[in-house]
Amino acid sequence: MKSTLRGARSTFKAFRRQAALLTVGLLAVFVAFPTAASADPVPGPPAGWSTVFSDDFAGGSGSAPSGQWMYDTGPGSNFGTGEIETMTNSSSNVYLDGNGHLNITALNNGGAWTSGRIQTTSANVGAPAGGKLEVTASIQQPNPGSGSGYWPAFWMLGPGQWPENGEIDIMEDVNSLSDVAGTIHCGTDPGGPCNEGNGIGSGLQACGGCQTGFHTYSMILDRTDASNESITFYLDGNQYFSVSEGQVGASTWQAAFDHNLSIIFDLAMGGGFPNGQCGCTTPSGSTSSGGTMSVGYVAAYTTG
């Protein structure tokens, strides 16, 4: 009986050792290969900065984005840009993928395009006087080969009258070019110090791999020099364009950017920008349905 018990204890200890090794092995696998839901964590604030807004788009597959967002719906013609889609709140157009991403998908329904546009429920982020604001997002642009007419955008809008109360376009691309453009809008339309309705921008810049993987698109609004504030645009942390208060005048700049703005994601189809780039009417008959802009996270940080 004692011999049997010792054998049982020995077998049990061996089992425990094997189970422990198995557990360690599984932990190693999870560490080496993190789950898709944690693939795009929101970065912590840089040293000396504070996080004032963020979303990692966690949630069940097919669910709506969190209550930090609201939908802008209706015909694209309502937005004054010439786009031809209808923006909806359908989970076919705007949805979480269950792996930590917000997807906005444009669909062609017998020649009638639908897509999505969401924005924060208020003008919730701004650079404090004497400080800075950074707004950044990890985005994969619509699939290569989607075709002409696709117009993904990550941008900010001031409350009230456009363009007087400001717009900052942090990421735009058109016609599936795998490019990026950063632009500001301010002043009066048409013309004025900000050259409306085109704004002051970088023009389309090469953005290699931006349709096949996630890249970071960022903007820093710098108010540390009250006599010459600036807005600078970055792709993957590399500066590619900057515009300063001195280019448009103090009163115009202050009305546009010295206050809070809302954050917007949308995927338009057709309109002035894509049509102007190609000198044609977009989308075309060869434009494919189902192109998707995917967002891994968005965050805003300030210094005070």
Side-chain angles (χ1 to χ4, degrees):
M1 181 70 174
K2 289 179 180 179
S3 176
T4 302
L5 287 172
R6 280 197 297 270
R9 289 191 185 105
S10 178
T11 301
F12 179 67
K13 288 178 180 178
F15 173 78
R16 286 199 305 175
R17 283 196 298 270
Q18 291 172 347
L21 288 171
L22 178 60
T23 300
V24 170
L26 288 172
L27 287 172
V29 168
F30 284 124
V31 170
F33 300 99
T35 62
S38 63
D40 296 283
V42 178
W49 296 66
S50 300
T51 303
V52 293
F53 174 80
S54 69
D55 199 335
D56 62 2
F57 300 112
S61 177
S63 61
S66 73
Q68 300 182 103
W69 304 92
M70 63 184 182
Y71 297 91
D72 285 335
T73 60
S77 56
N78 290 349
F79 304 124
T81 56
E83 56 204 75
I84 57 91
E85 83 294 331
T86 296
M87 295 299 191
T88 82
N89 59 6
S90 168
S91 59
S92 297
N93 296 120
V94 182
Y95 55 96
L96 303 183
D97 70 354
N99 293 318
H101 304 99
L102 165 72
N103 286 351
I104 302 180
T105 298
L107 298 171
N108 184 357
N109 303 284
W113 286 87
T114 60
S115 191
R117 169 170 163 161
I118 63 169
Q119 72 177 71
T120 50
T121 55
S122 66
N124 62 329
V125 295
K132 299 179 184 180
L133 167 71
E134 177 180 357
V135 179
T136 185
S138 173
I139 300 171
Q140 181 172 326
Q141 294 187 21
N143 328 328
S146 295
S148 65
Y150 277 89
W151 184 0
F154 162 44
W155 52 297
M156 303 173 68
L157 187 65
Q161 183 68 33
W162 186 92
E164 177 184 349
N165 283 9
E167 176 180 331
I168 305 172
D169 301 325
I170 305 172
M171 185 284 292
E172 291 182 284
D173 187 22
V174 292
N175 299 334
S176 302
L177 294 176
S178 199
D179 284 346
V180 61
T183 309
I184 69 162
H185 296 271
C186 59
T188 57
D189 181 36
C194 287
N195 188 37
E196 298 306 343
N198 293 323
I200 299 174
S202 65
L204 291 166
Q205 308 287 315
C207 189
C210 288
Q211 296 173 324
T212 56
F214 285 85
H215 292 259
T216 56
Y217 303 87
S218 310
M219 174 284 313
I220 292 180
L221 171 53
D222 186 344
R223 298 184 62 194
T224 55
D225 181 352
S227 64
N228 196 28
E229 299 176 4
S230 65
I231 294 173
T232 304
F233 297 88
Y234 301 84
L235 172 63
D236 293 329
N238 299 308
Q239 176 182 334
Y240 68 91
F241 182 63
S242 187
V243 60
S244 67
E245 178 181 358
Q247 292 176 246
V248 302
S251 61
T252 297
W253 183 277
Q254 290 165 12
F257 305 119
D258 287 2
H259 53 72
N260 281 7
L261 299 93
S262 57
I263 298 172
I264 302 174
F265 292 102
D266 79 90
L267 179 55
M269 293 300 300
F273 195 175
N275 291 354
Q277 185 280 325
C278 68
C280 63
T281 300
T282 64
S284 70
S286 62
T287 302
S288 63
S289 177
T292 297
M293 177 173 72
S294 187
V295 186
Y297 65 77
V298 61
Y301 316 102
T302 61
T303 66

